[in-house]
Amino acid sequence: GVPRETIIADYELSNAYYESYLEGLRDDLDRLRRFRVNETHIRPLLWVEGKTLRTVFAFIEQEFGSVENYLRGKVGISAETIDTLRQNLLQVDRAV
């Protein structure tokens, strides 16, 4: 029930933590340098883009009709679990 663009904007907020996440990987990056792998090589794995998530949504909707159909059918998540996730992960304005 969350608007698609809200989901994508939230997803892209992950990039605000890119530098601190990268700092946490500093030791790993140092080890990878032996294999000529550096920050430039791993950035595409860590940096998120809204267009990627839009593509994922489009594929899921084309193949399964909806994200919920995908979760229930392909992934095997029960309706009860989806309801529990909604309750735990979404802010609901209860001031009504």
Side-chain angles (χ1 to χ4, degrees):
V2 177
R4 186 65 39 89
E5 289 305 313
T6 301
I7 295 169
I8 292 167
D10 189 59
Y11 175 69
E12 289 179 325
L13 283 175
S14 301
N15 292 330
Y17 300 97
Y18 176 78
E19 291 300 325
S20 63
Y21 186 69
L22 196 60
E23 189 58 37
L25 295 174
R26 210 45 78 193
D27 290 342
D28 296 318
L29 282 172
D30 289 341
R31 286 190 289 277
L32 288 172
R33 280 183 184 47
R34 288 182 251 165
F35 304 102
R36 297 185 184 160
V37 175
N38 62 39
E39 178 185 334
T40 305
H41 297 110
I42 67 164
R43 187 175 197 271
L45 301 172
L46 303 175
W47 190 262
V48 302
E49 294 187 27
K51 68 180 179 180
T52 303
L53 194 54
R54 284 183 188 91
T55 301
V56 169
F57 281 134
F59 175 80
I60 288 172
E61 288 169 354
Q62 178 182 343
E63 294 295 315
F64 303 96
S66 71
V67 172
E68 187 163 343
N69 287 346
Y70 166 75
L71 293 173
R72 292 187 67 198
K74 184 71 172 175
V75 180
I77 297 176
S78 70
E80 294 79 19
T81 299
I82 291 172
D83 288 340
T84 300
L85 287 169
R86 281 186 178 121
Q87 291 172 18
N88 291 332
L89 298 177
L90 299 177
Q91 287 182 333
V92 178
D93 184 4
R94 301 186 195 289
V96 176

